[in-house]
């Protein structure tokens, strides 16, 4: 089917959707009755950039490479970012508006009652107010005028161009973009990476299973050595041993009723707004000592939600102050992960605990709460209306304490403190990265990187390398003593206080971990991060939510092998490592399964065949592998067989099951087996998997592991917007990461030699316009990690010229 034929079918569907009782086939006939076809749907199909655009910020030009990546060139920074805003709105306006609506709690205004839960949560959390406080702080910085110019560019595009198709499908028009909206995108990114109610779930598990069982099944630290740092790296103040320990820290607070779990229904409801399962990332760097060119190499692939269009948007900006290229999020002006003409930088999630939950004594009327020995009015107590399309508007009571929002659900409450609720300056840090000229500049900018808490990995053309844990790390105090944050605090008793934190204002951060004492390493030789624990014995409490070590161990082992052999690396080596699909869970679980089948007195032929295939398998999750399919479907079946009965008895669902690291290490006499044989359960689980595979008609891993998860936000109602369903390599535990169950995986890949060449690929395309040739032109390249050049500097012949208005001259 040609793209024009597809467009015609889509337009017919749009007309049908907008005409009660009109079939799509009849709508197609209607198209023939108009000469030429008209209407907003037809306009959406013919969107294109104009040759010239008036700019109040000065002259600029935009060329677009063969993949639709805008390459902006200007003599003045505001002019460049006006053009960036215009390009982002052309390519991603619907995605920008959708995320803005989600974070403001205004999705139901256009969708209806189905999204009321989301809106109630986001309004109660006050993300919009936190974004406004952040803009007040950022507006006075060097980044402020550039953010304003970006917003002007977005709004100019809205005025000049037809709206994307999705607005016609849903039936609304977006409001003007504001600088606060860009700050709201910073909050959205930060929440996706750090918003965790883990302490609520841990308290519930401990209550239902017992504290001892909970500690065994959900250890606060896995017993492995795959940390990012080994403790010997060079730091700002010398080696790590030169930094004094915080001996006053203790792991718990005084015993109190606050250790009891929060209402299970409220806990489960809040958990639904956390990061998707599996959000993480890989990044690594090797120094020039271990590369063919003598220049460091940095590799990066963040594991975030996969969808159409991708979360990331690629752009390049060239001005006298910067020449920067890389990826950002729609609605964010500056390159977040990428490179300039001197250095390259990337981020993986640190797993830091930057959210605390509090219990309060609240009076019967719900108008006051107890704090510091007295009853006091809530800092904020107001009612907000949530508009609902084709339904009754919802009124929500918004209350806040000294710590932050009070979340209420069916009469149950919990207080929340999150570092993103205050004014943050990450936008100024990211802006400064783009014009940094070396490691010292980058370090200075990183001091302003407040949230999200990340593992920053950096390399530059001078041969310098860097690892730094970014973001503000709270130091909690109870009765003056430093305590860890992995528990529910009694807010009325002043437990777990963060000194210098001002929710919805500007914080002094005086009670947070000093910059020099965060985990970091200056000029590491070879270093990798995959969301594991940053260091074995940290000076300060960081958190407890770290990834299982499978990805981190595989990356570290491959880098160590190469370094130990003395064989230099090149970009091809690092791209190949990004494509590694060996699943570290398989060698821990497959041999026992094979043995269990072969030890059966008379196993079914299907079980024997499956065991033989697994025994010959190389543990690689390739799309064409039968054994990979068997393992992928065996594992959840075995997990259910082992954990299901006990957790069901405790009224804890599948989302509470322990990790596969724990599953692989459960001894045969663990109480979970309760007289059942581990080997019997393994064989039964393989039988379950075979039944599922036969019923579905799958032959190879790629029959099950497909891109079907990478859907468009409105793809349920308009399935043509979804990407083509294709087989995919990788699993949740492989370096080449893909999680079909949760739509998470490698959301951007890049390999950079600072100051020279760079390559990258997106999971789909740079355009969010379905009718664009760049909507999905990188999808197959992404599947094979076939990265394309990401050049420095301006592009070719300008596609758009931004001409200064009289006011800007």
């Amino acid at each position: 089917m040609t793209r024009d034929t597809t467009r015609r079918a889509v337009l017919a569907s749009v007309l049908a959707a907008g005409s009660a009782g009109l079939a799509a086939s009849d709508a197609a006939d209607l198209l023939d009755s108009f000469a030429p076809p008209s209407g907003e749907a037809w306009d959406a199909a013919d969107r294109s950039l104009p040759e010239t655009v008036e700019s109040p910020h000065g002259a600029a030009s935009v060329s677009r490479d063969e993949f639709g990546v805008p390459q902006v060139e200007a003599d003045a920074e505001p002019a460049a970012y006006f053009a960036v805003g215009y390009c982002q709105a052309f390519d991603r306006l619907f995605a920008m508006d959708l995320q803005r609506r989600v974070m403001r709690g205004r999705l139901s205004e256009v969708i209806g009652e189905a999204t009321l839960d989301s809106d109630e949560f986001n309004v109660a959390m006050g993300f919009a107010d936190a974004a406004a406080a952040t803009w007040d702080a950022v507006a006075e910085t060097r980044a402020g005028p550039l953010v304003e110019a970006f917003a002007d560019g977005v709004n100019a595009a809205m005025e000049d161009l037809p709206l994307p198709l999705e607005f016609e499908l849903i039936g609304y028009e977006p409001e003007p973009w504001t600088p606060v909206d860009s700050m709201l995108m910073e909050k959205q990114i930060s929440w996706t990476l750090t918003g965790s109610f883990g302490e609520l779930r841990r308290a519930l598990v401990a209550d239902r299973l017992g504290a001892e069982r909970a500690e065994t099944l959900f250890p606060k630290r896995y017993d492995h050595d795959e940390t990012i740092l080994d403790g010997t790296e060079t730091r700002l103040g010398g080696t790590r041993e030169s930094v004094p320990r915080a001996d006053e820290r203790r792991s718990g607070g005084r015993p109190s009723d606050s250790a009891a779990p929060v209402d299970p229904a409220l806990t489960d409801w809040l958990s639904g707004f956390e990061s998707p399962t599996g959000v993480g990332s890989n990044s690594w760097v090797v120094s020039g000592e271990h590369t063919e060119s003598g220049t460091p190499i940095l590799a990066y692939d963040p594991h975030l939600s996969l969808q159409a269009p991708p979360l990331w948007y690629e752009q390049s900006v060239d001005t006298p102050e910067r020449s920067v290229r890389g990826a950002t999020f729609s609605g964010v002006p500056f390159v977040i992960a990428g490179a300039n003409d001197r250095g390259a930088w990337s981020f993986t999630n640190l797993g830091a605990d930057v959210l605390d939950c509090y219990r309060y004594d609240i009076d019967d009327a719900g108008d006051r709460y107890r704090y510091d020995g007295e009853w006091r009015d809530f800092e904020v107590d107001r009612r907000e209306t949530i508009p609902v399309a084709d339904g009754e508007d919802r009124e929500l009571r918004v209350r806040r304490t000294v710590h932050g929002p009070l979340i209420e659900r069916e009469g149950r409450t919990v207080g929340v403190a999150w570092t993103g609720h205050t004014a943050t300056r990450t936008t100024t840090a990211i802006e400064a990265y783009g014009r940094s000229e070396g490691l010292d500049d980058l370090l200075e900018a990183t001091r302003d990187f407040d949230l999200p808490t990340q593992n920053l990995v950096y390399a530059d053309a001078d041969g310098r390398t860097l690892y730094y844990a970014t973001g503000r790390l709270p130091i909690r105090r109870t009765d003056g003593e430093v305590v860890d944050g992995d528990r529910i605090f009694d807010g009325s008793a002043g437990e777990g206080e963060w000194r210098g934190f001002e929710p919805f204002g500007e914080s002094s951060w005086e009670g947070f971990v000093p910059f020099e004492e965060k985990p970091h390493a200056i000029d590491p030789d070879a270093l990798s991060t995959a969301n594991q624990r940053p260091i074995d014995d940290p000076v300060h409490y960081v958190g407890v939510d770290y990834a299982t070590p499978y990805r981190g161990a595989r990356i570290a082992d491959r880098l160590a092998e190469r370094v130990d052999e003395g064989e230099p690396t090149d970009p091809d080596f690092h791209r190949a490592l990004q494509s590694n699909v060996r699943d570290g869970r398989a060698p821990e679980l497959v041999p026992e399964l094979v043995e269990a089948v072969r030890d059966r007195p008379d196993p079914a032929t299907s079980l024997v065949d499956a065991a033989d295939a697994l025994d010959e398998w190389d543990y690689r999750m390739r799309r064409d592998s039968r054994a990979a399919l068997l393992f992928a479907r065996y594992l959840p079946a075995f997990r259910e067989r082992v954990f299901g009965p006990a957790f069901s008895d405790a009224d804890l669902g599948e989302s509470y099951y322990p990790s596969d690291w724990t599953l692989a290490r459960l001894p045969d006499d663990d109480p979970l087996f309760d007289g059942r044989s581990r080997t019997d359960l393994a064989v039964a689980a393989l039988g379950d998997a075979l039944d599922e595979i036969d019923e579905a008609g799958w032959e190879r891993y790629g029959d099950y592991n497909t891109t079907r998860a990478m859907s468009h936000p409105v793809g349920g109602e308009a399935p043509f917007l979804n990407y083509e369903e294709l087989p995919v390599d990788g699993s949740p535990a492989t370096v080449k990461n893909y999680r079909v169950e949760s739509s998470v995986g490698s959301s951007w890949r890049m390999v950079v030699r600072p100051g020279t060449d760079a390559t990258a690929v997106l999971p789909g395309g740079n355009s969010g316009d379905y009718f664009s040739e760049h909507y999905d032109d990188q999808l197959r390249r992404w599947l094979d990690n076939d990265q394309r050049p990401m050049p420095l500097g301006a592009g070719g012949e300008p596609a758009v010229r931004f001409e200064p208005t009289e006011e800007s001259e």
Side-chain angles (χ1 to χ4, degrees), residues 39-74:
E40 294 178 5
W42 184 255
D43 291 340
D46 284 336
R47 296 175 75 245
S48 60
L49 284 168
E51 293 184 2
T52 59
V53 175
E54 286 192 347
S55 169
H57 296 278
S61 66
V62 176
S63 60
R64 291 168 76 86
D65 70 10
E66 61 179 310
F67 293 96
V69 176
Q71 297 169 310
V72 178
E73 185 175 16

Side-chain angles (χ1 to χ4, degrees), residues 236 429 442-450 472 515-516 518:
L236 290 176
L442 193 98
L443 269 176
E444 188 59 32
T446 302
R447 292 178 182 273
D448 283 336
F449 201 112
D450 297 330
R472 304 291 181 175
F515 183 75
E516 290 77 12
K518 296 175 187 176

Side-chain angles (χ1 to χ4, degrees), residues 37 99 264 291 312 378 491 589 737 744:
Q99 288 303 321
T291 66
W312 295 96
F378 287 97
L589 292 163
N737 203 255
V744 169

Side-chain angles (χ1 to χ4, degrees), residues 152-173:
D152 290 343
V154 173
N155 292 325
M158 283 194 212
E159 293 175 6
D160 293 350
L161 304 171
L163 292 175
L165 178 64
E166 292 93 331
F167 290 102
E168 177 66 14
L169 287 172
I170 299 174
Y172 79 98
E173 294 186 2

Side-chain angles (χ1 to χ4, degrees), residues 307-330:
Q307 60 188 44
L311 286 178
W312 295 96
Y313 178 81
E314 187 178 348
Q315 64 188 38
S316 172
V317 178
D318 196 71
T319 71
E321 287 83 6
R322 78 187 69 221
S323 182
V324 62
R325 54 188 167 166
T328 186
F329 291 100
S330 305

Side-chain angles (χ1 to χ4, degrees), residues 330-341:
S330 305
V332 176
F334 311 113
V335 166
I336 294 173
N340 62 12
D341 54 348

Side-chain angles (χ1 to χ4, degrees), residues 725-764:
E725 185 171 339
L726 297 168
V728 189
D729 296 322
S731 77
T734 56
V735 178
K736 190 176 187 181
N737 203 255
Y738 188 67
R739 303 152 193 249
V740 67
E741 296 87 355
S742 57
S743 307
V744 169
S746 299
S747 59
W748 159 260
R749 296 192 189 103
M750 72 176 188
V751 173
V752 183
R753 291 194 304 172
T756 57
D757 58 289
T759 59
V761 70
L762 280 166

Side-chain angles (χ1 to χ4, degrees), residues 63 284 304 447 519 724 770:
S63 60
W284 62 87
L304 299 172
R447 292 178 182 273
E724 179 183 4
Y770 170 77

